[in-house]
Amino acid sequence: MLKACADALWDAYDLAMLDLDGVVYVGRDAVPGAADHLARARAAGMRLAFVTNNAARPPAVVAEHLTELGIEAEPGDVVTSAQAAARLLASMLEAGSRVFVIGGDGLFEALEEQGLVPTQKFDDDPAAVVSGYHRKLAWGTVSDGAILVGRGLPWVASNTDRSVPTPRGTGPGNGMLVEVVSRFTGVTPTVAGKPMAPLFEETVLRVSGRRPLVVGDRLDTDIEGATNTGHDSLLVLTGVTGLAELVAAAPDLRPTYLASDLAGLGVPHPEVEQSEGDAARCGGWTALVDRGRLVVTGGGAGDDWWRAAAVAAWQHLDTSGTPCAVDGVSAPSTVSP
């Protein structure tokens, strides 16, 4: 269930591990208010790490994009699943080993940083295979990499996200490629990205922080990853998670805190009071599940509406085993004024 925090989160935690798409930006555009909220968090003394499962872009490219959006960022502030995958491989292989890359520039740069030699030549006698998202990936490269995996080479995947945002809409992500190679070879890769631990460990190693907070918009990568690694989390509602997904979240997919957007870093988080049955109260709102349907009454701040609704819905789910219905429920805007 949601926790209360008497202090602003940027005072309670010293590192924000921020997902990018759906949290800081959507596509090429910043989430409204994100630059200001992050500048205030940094001014309050919170370290900011921009953490992405997308292995395609090197950190310098991501930092340049953030800077264009008015968000202060250096390459060292960006941590990618490619970097986490490369460190995993470096722990398994001798320095100078060749690694066959089913992917692009992000993986090439990360491997070189770890003293490994990336290649896409089948006959280069690679010692392992690494795979990650790359929009212009050639099928021949996928085929050669799959054959090498099938011959027994160690295989590390940057992540298993089934979808990825593109300028044309949502497209198939690296998880779909992993599934193809895995079905062909019968091999399951070691995964570096969220929701697994290596990317979070890589972030703390590079940026440092004793009290990290995971900030994300996805329940099955950001929030589950926080649960897996024992970190507290803040779910923001500017990305892919809506009311239907939120009320159906299993316990390991539930965030520690909930806010409309990154403004949630700079405020205390109130307690959600629970009473008999499914009722939950936060601010001026009361939420309960009546005959299987979510009902929220009262008034007040929009974030408190979402908090009350989430807790009531989760209590009902844990008791009945069935998510409540939310069709026709009018939720407040998910962008702070």
Side-chain angles (χ1 to χ4, degrees):
M1 295 300 177
L2 296 173
K3 283 174 56 175
C5 184
D7 301 316
L9 296 185
W10 60 39
D11 292 326
Y13 300 89
D14 62 353
L15 169 64
M17 296 194 280
L18 297 143
D19 183 51
L20 288 173
D21 209 327
V23 176
V24 178
Y25 54 67
V26 175
R28 297 295 301 180
D29 300 320
V31 169
D36 180 57
H37 299 319
L38 293 177
R40 293 173 62 215
R42 198 186 294 274
M46 190 178 224
R47 295 185 182 92
L48 305 181
F50 302 97
V51 184
T52 177
N53 257 4
N54 191 326
R57 297 192 295 171
V61 176
V62 177
E64 182 180 2
H65 178 200
L66 291 169
T67 300
E68 290 171 352
L69 297 177
I71 297 166
E72 179 184 343
E74 300 292 335
D77 300 326
V78 179
V79 188
T80 73
S81 62
Q83 292 173 315
R87 191 177 298 275
L88 279 176
L89 286 162
S91 72
M92 300 161 50
L93 305 173
E94 294 182 1
S97 296
R98 291 184 175 87
V99 178
F100 189 89
V101 179
I102 310 176
D105 294 346
L107 284 169
F108 272 76
E109 182 177 299
L111 290 168
E112 290 169 349
E113 182 187 29
Q114 292 295 330
L116 300 172
V117 180
T119 183
Q120 290 183 326
K121 295 180 180 178
F122 186 88
D123 296 326
D124 263 357
D125 193 26
V129 176
V130 66
S131 60
Y133 177 78
H134 181 54
R135 185 170 175 80
K136 297 183 179 179
L137 191 60
W139 185 253
T141 303
V142 177
S143 178
D144 285 349
I147 293 169
L148 291 168
V149 170
R151 290 184 178 180
L153 267 63
W155 174 28
V156 174
S158 65
N159 67 297
T160 53
D161 294 26
R162 295 178 65 84
S163 63
V164 64
T166 80
R168 297 175 177 84
T170 301
N174 192 57
M176 303 304 292
L177 173 63
V178 168
E179 185 174 321
V180 168
V181 176
S182 185
R183 289 181 63 184
F184 175 74
T185 62
V187 177
T188 300
T190 300
V191 179
K194 298 177 284 187
M196 310 308 290
L199 181 52
F200 296 98
E201 294 168 352
E202 185 75 13
T203 301
V204 173
L205 181 64
R206 287 176 178 269
V207 184
S208 76
R210 294 190 304 164
R211 302 183 310 280
L213 178 70
V214 176
V215 184
D217 69 309
R218 287 180 177 266
L219 299 176
D220 60 350
T221 54
D222 305 314
I223 306 307
E224 184 178 4
T227 301
N228 288 343
T229 52
H231 298 313
D232 286 347
S233 61
L234 168 66
L235 177 72
V236 295
L237 301 171
T238 46
V240 300
T241 299
L243 184 60
E245 293 81 14
L246 186 65
V247 302
D252 59 344
L253 302 181
R254 296 172 188 171
T256 313
Y257 307 105
L258 175 63
S260 296
D261 58 19
L262 290 173
L265 289 172
V267 296
H269 286 246
E271 180 181 4
V272 180
E273 299 176 354
Q274 294 178 260
S275 58
E276 294 182 7
D278 296 325
R281 293 179 175 83
C282 189
W285 298 102
T286 299
L288 56 84
V289 178
D290 181 21
R291 289 173 288 185
R293 183 175 299 277
L294 179 67
V295 178
V296 186
T297 57
D303 281 4
D304 290 341
W305 186 101
W306 284 91
R307 293 168 182 142
V311 170
W314 294 339
Q315 186 169 318
H316 170 79
L317 177 60
D318 293 346
T319 301
S320 69
T322 304
C324 60
V326 296
D327 51 301
V329 177
S330 180
S333 168
T334 55
V335 178
S336 298

